[in-house]
Short mmCIF file of all heavy atoms in Angstrom, two decimals:
data_model
loop_
_atom_site.label_atom_id
_atom_site.label_comp_id
_atom_site.label_asym_id
_atom_site.label_seq_id
_atom_site.Cartn_x
_atom_site.Cartn_y
_atom_site.Cartn_z
N ASP A 107 10.27 12.10 23.66
CA ASP A 107 11.50 12.89 23.77
C ASP A 107 12.48 12.27 24.78
O ASP A 107 13.67 12.17 24.51
CB ASP A 107 11.16 14.33 24.16
CG ASP A 107 12.42 15.17 24.26
OD1 ASP A 107 13.13 15.27 23.26
OD2 ASP A 107 12.70 15.69 25.36
N PHE A 110 14.57 9.34 23.51
CA PHE A 110 15.79 9.72 22.77
C PHE A 110 16.90 10.09 23.75
O PHE A 110 18.06 9.72 23.57
CB PHE A 110 15.51 10.93 21.86
CG PHE A 110 14.82 10.55 20.58
CD1 PHE A 110 13.47 10.77 20.40
CD2 PHE A 110 15.54 9.95 19.55
CE1 PHE A 110 12.83 10.41 19.23
CE2 PHE A 110 14.92 9.58 18.36
CZ PHE A 110 13.55 9.81 18.20
N ARG A 111 16.53 10.82 24.81
CA ARG A 111 17.57 11.30 25.72
C ARG A 111 18.19 10.17 26.54
O ARG A 111 19.34 10.24 26.91
CB ARG A 111 16.97 12.34 26.67
CG ARG A 111 16.45 13.54 25.92
CD ARG A 111 16.64 14.75 26.75
NE ARG A 111 15.46 15.58 26.72
CZ ARG A 111 15.25 16.56 27.57
NH1 ARG A 111 16.10 16.77 28.56
NH2 ARG A 111 14.18 17.30 27.46
N PRO A 116 23.64 11.60 20.94
CA PRO A 116 23.45 12.55 19.84
C PRO A 116 24.58 12.44 18.81
O PRO A 116 25.74 12.26 19.18
CB PRO A 116 23.49 13.92 20.54
CG PRO A 116 23.14 13.63 21.96
CD PRO A 116 23.64 12.25 22.26
N MET A 130 6.10 13.74 15.25
CA MET A 130 6.97 14.12 16.36
C MET A 130 8.20 13.21 16.51
O MET A 130 9.18 13.61 17.12
CB MET A 130 6.21 14.16 17.70
CG MET A 130 5.59 15.50 18.05
SD MET A 130 6.68 16.92 17.94
CE MET A 130 7.61 16.77 19.46
N TYR A 131 8.12 11.98 15.95
CA TYR A 131 9.32 11.13 16.04
C TYR A 131 10.47 11.81 15.30
O TYR A 131 11.60 11.83 15.77
CB TYR A 131 9.09 9.73 15.44
CG TYR A 131 7.82 9.03 15.91
CD1 TYR A 131 7.06 8.26 15.04
CD2 TYR A 131 7.40 9.15 17.23
CE1 TYR A 131 5.90 7.63 15.46
CE2 TYR A 131 6.24 8.53 17.66
CZ TYR A 131 5.49 7.78 16.76
OH TYR A 131 4.34 7.17 17.18
N ASP A 132 10.13 12.40 14.15
CA ASP A 132 11.10 13.12 13.33
C ASP A 132 11.65 14.33 14.07
O ASP A 132 12.86 14.57 14.12
CB ASP A 132 10.36 13.65 12.08
CG ASP A 132 11.01 13.18 10.81
OD1 ASP A 132 12.15 12.73 10.89
OD2 ASP A 132 10.36 13.26 9.76
N VAL A 133 10.72 15.10 14.65
CA VAL A 133 11.12 16.35 15.30
C VAL A 133 11.94 16.05 16.56
O VAL A 133 13.00 16.66 16.77
CB VAL A 133 9.86 17.20 15.64
CG1 VAL A 133 10.24 18.46 16.41
CG2 VAL A 133 9.13 17.57 14.36
N SER A 134 11.49 15.10 17.36
CA SER A 134 12.24 14.74 18.57
C SER A 134 13.62 14.22 18.21
O SER A 134 14.61 14.54 18.87
CB SER A 134 11.51 13.65 19.35
OG SER A 134 10.84 14.20 20.43
N ALA A 135 13.69 13.41 17.14
CA ALA A 135 14.98 12.88 16.69
C ALA A 135 15.89 14.05 16.32
O ALA A 135 17.05 14.11 16.74
CB ALA A 135 14.80 11.93 15.51
N ALA A 136 15.35 14.99 15.54
CA ALA A 136 16.17 16.13 15.09
C ALA A 136 16.63 16.99 16.27
O ALA A 136 17.78 17.42 16.33
CB ALA A 136 15.37 16.97 14.09
N ILE A 137 15.74 17.22 17.23
CA ILE A 137 16.11 18.03 18.40
C ILE A 137 17.28 17.36 19.13
O ILE A 137 18.19 18.02 19.62
CB ILE A 137 14.90 18.19 19.36
CG1 ILE A 137 13.84 19.08 18.72
CG2 ILE A 137 15.34 18.77 20.71
CD1 ILE A 137 12.51 19.09 19.47
N ASN A 138 17.22 16.04 19.18
CA ASN A 138 18.26 15.30 19.92
C ASN A 138 19.45 14.91 19.03
O ASN A 138 20.31 14.14 19.45
CB ASN A 138 17.64 14.05 20.55
CG ASN A 138 16.74 14.42 21.72
OD1 ASN A 138 17.22 14.80 22.77
ND2 ASN A 138 15.42 14.35 21.52
N ASN A 139 19.46 15.46 17.79
CA ASN A 139 20.55 15.19 16.85
C ASN A 139 20.74 13.68 16.63
O ASN A 139 21.85 13.16 16.70
CB ASN A 139 21.85 15.84 17.35
CG ASN A 139 22.93 15.85 16.29
OD1 ASN A 139 22.63 15.68 15.11
ND2 ASN A 139 24.18 16.02 16.69
N VAL A 140 19.61 13.02 16.39
CA VAL A 140 19.62 11.57 16.16
C VAL A 140 19.01 11.32 14.78
O VAL A 140 17.98 11.90 14.44
CB VAL A 140 18.79 10.84 17.25
CG1 VAL A 140 18.60 9.37 16.91
CG2 VAL A 140 19.45 11.00 18.62
#
Side-chain angles (χ1 to χ4, degrees):
D107 181 59
F110 280 103
R111 298 213 224 166
M130 270 310 282
Y131 311 142
D132 237 343
V133 176
S134 258
I137 291 169
N138 288 287
N139 192 17
V140 171

